[in-house]
Amino acid sequence: MLDIRYELTQNKKEKPDESALGFGKYYTDHMFIVDHTEGQGWHDARIVPYQPLALDPAAMVLHYAMESFEGMKAYRLPDGSVQLFRPDRNAERMQNTNHRMCLPSLSTEDFIQAVKALVKTDEDWVPHQEGTSLYIRPFVIATEPHLGVRPSATHQFIIICSPVGAYYSTGINPVKIFVEDEYTRACPGGTGFTKCGGNYAASLISQVKAHDLGYEQTLWLDGVEHKYVEEVGSMNCFFKIDGTVYTAPCVGTVLPGVTRMSCIELLKKWGIPVSEERLPVADVMKASKEGKLEEVFGTGTAAVISPVGELRYEGDVAYINDGKIGEITHKLYDTLTGIQWGKIPDDMGWTVKVD
Ligand SMILES: *Cc1c(COP(=O)(O)O)cnc(C)c1O
């Protein structure tokens, strides 16, 4: 259990218009911080007014990207209460990331306590409109001023929150995806399975390239052979081919998404065959030509489920389901969002009340 000190703000900010929240534009009144010192462990947990950080310019995070992060949401229910979705999974994933990055971790219990305490403090920032939520961003940074490369002796674990709008303000429109065949995101033994800032820094160039070509996102192939599909930008990717739903195995190069895991559990419950065998991109393009590529969608906390309408690989383009959202894609979207926003009963035991 963390012993949290509260220093509440005297000047609450004005709340933004809930119909124009966008993503990551506004931040709530408070933030959570806890310090970590080698030999002492975690100490001085506190909720303080949202404010800039004071960091030494030599802080190791600024030079060697020694940081990790998580992404999760709090949802407003029809009865006005607030809940989280599988927060234990985010806590465990952050522990795995931190282990790989030589960063310290909070226990699952302390992580969830900190998230709940901050969401409770800023509860009136959890928006009410259809499809809106409070995005929660926990992160760890190495704060020791030191220019040599080695683990840091001091760290901070911080949580900030941002009210976010409905991802699909104009309805669910399928995205166009560019299959990246030059750059790679991850390779065996690397950091592909972690949520670390460095992965994103290294992936930006492909996103810019995809945008320049008129595509919204990049689909990454495996880093060794450039042959097997892995994931899309900040989403895991699913392909329904001839009745079976395929998604890349989480073997070190793919981020183990909480949404991915939840989709697999639902599909299995519904009796739909799921394969986590590696899937060659050539098989996807071939299935498209044979009329067997039935649905493609991405999964992630921000958009939940994102249908894919078009895939471009080298000179070839696959159009999926006439640019319409597929049946399984739709059912997963309705079920997950229904559970998250408390519109349908959570018979999977995935939600946790903030009280
Ligand atoms: C966060 C993330 C995902 C999605 O994970 P969720 O837990 O479902 O939000 C997928 N891929 C990458 C690279 C990510 O960073």
Side-chain angles (χ1 to χ4, degrees):
M1 275 288 272
L2 297 165
D3 182 15
I4 305 173
R5 174 171 64 80
Y6 286 80
E7 180 193 326
L8 300 184
T9 183
Q10 297 306 310
N11 335 290
K12 285 197 165 193
K13 298 180 225 178
E14 204 179 309
K15 304 270 188 315
D17 174 2
E18 280 194 11
S19 62
L21 290 172
F23 190 87
K25 285 200 292 184
Y26 304 100
Y27 298 93
T28 64
D29 285 319
H30 298 92
M31 59 203 242
F32 173 90
I33 307 185
V34 59
D35 297 318
H36 188 272
T37 307
E38 201 176 83
Q40 188 184 353
W42 294 104
H43 58 93
D44 291 310
R46 56 206 185 268
I47 285 176
V48 295
Y50 187 94
Q51 61 193 286
L53 300 173
L55 275 185
D56 193 293
M60 295 174 90
V61 59
L62 301 175
H63 303 273
Y64 308 122
M66 293 159 62
E67 75 96 43
S68 67
F69 68 96
E70 267 303 322
M72 53 204 289
K73 281 174 169 178
Y75 307 85
R76 177 79 65 187
L77 273 59
D79 68 2
S81 63
V82 172
Q83 69 184 15
L84 304 171
F85 183 74
R86 311 190 84 176
D88 52 323
R89 301 298 169 160
N90 296 95
E92 286 163 18
R93 184 170 65 193
M94 191 172 222
Q95 290 157 10
N96 293 336
T97 297
N98 288 341
H99 177 75
R100 176 64 177 80
M101 308 299 293
C102 298
L103 298 168
S105 285
L106 288 178
S107 68
T108 300
E109 187 195 2
D110 290 354
F111 177 98
I112 295 174
Q113 184 199 348
V115 169
K116 279 186 175 176
L118 181 62
V119 172
K120 187 72 196 165
T121 304
D122 283 340
E123 192 176 1
D124 50 352
W125 281 87
V126 183
H128 298 76
Q129 276 193 14
E130 173 85 22
T132 62
S133 55
L134 186 72
Y135 186 80
I136 304 165
R137 168 54 56 84
F139 59 107
V140 175
I141 53 173
T143 53
E144 188 190 352
H146 185 74
L147 291 182
V149 179
R150 56 153 171 77
S152 173
T154 59
H155 296 85
Q156 285 187 320
F157 169 92
I158 303 171
I159 310 174
I160 55 174
C161 297
S162 170
V164 298
Y167 205 83
Y168 303 105
S169 44
T170 54
I172 306 186
N173 291 316
V175 293
K176 291 169 66 181
I177 292 203
F178 172 75
V179 182
E180 177 61 68
D181 54 6
E182 175 189 1
Y183 301 111
T184 57
R185 192 192 86 91
C187 62
T191 57
F193 68 93
T194 71
K195 262 185 137 58
C196 71
N199 283 349
Y200 279 80
S203 73
L204 268 179
I205 191 164
S206 173
Q207 192 178 310
V208 170
K209 177 175 152 190
H211 277 203
D212 288 347
L213 291 166
Y215 289 79
E216 282 142 284
Q217 300 238 21
T218 291
L219 172 65
W220 295 100
L221 300 177
D222 75 282
V224 178
E225 296 176 80
H226 283 207
K227 181 173 170 189
Y228 302 99
V229 295
E230 292 210 322
E231 59 183 315
V232 173
S234 55
M235 291 189 287
N236 294 108
C237 201
F238 288 70
F239 302 82
K240 181 161 173 268
I241 300 176
D242 207 11
T244 297
V245 179
Y246 295 84
T247 193
C250 283
V251 287
T253 51
V254 171
L255 199 288
V258 178
T259 322
R260 171 190 181 277
M261 175 193 306
S262 306
C263 286
I264 292 173
E265 289 171 39
L266 286 173
L267 290 166
K268 288 188 172 162
K269 190 177 134 194
W270 296 336
I272 295 165
V274 182
S275 168
E276 293 180 68
E277 294 293 313
R278 300 174 88 193
L279 177 66
V281 64
D283 289 11
V284 175
M285 301 312 282
K286 182 161 167 275
S288 167
K289 292 213 169 62
E290 294 169 351
K292 292 179 179 165
L293 182 59
E294 293 152 356
E295 302 182 35
V296 180
F297 56 94
T299 67
T301 297
V304 193
I305 306 282
S306 193
V308 174
E310 182 179 330
L311 276 177
R312 169 171 153 181
Y313 174 55
E314 295 179 336
D316 228 358
V317 178
Y319 296 96
I320 301 126
N321 204 31
D322 292 328
K324 292 196 299 285
I325 179 167
E327 189 190 329
I328 293 300
T329 311
H330 211 164
K331 190 170 174 191
L332 284 169
Y333 181 82
D334 286 346
T335 307
L336 279 175
T337 56
I339 292 173
Q340 289 166 337
W341 274 275
K343 291 179 191 164
I344 60 175
D346 171 17
D347 52 11
M348 306 298 280
W350 284 341
T351 54
V352 174
K353 287 267 183 192
V354 175
D355 40 28

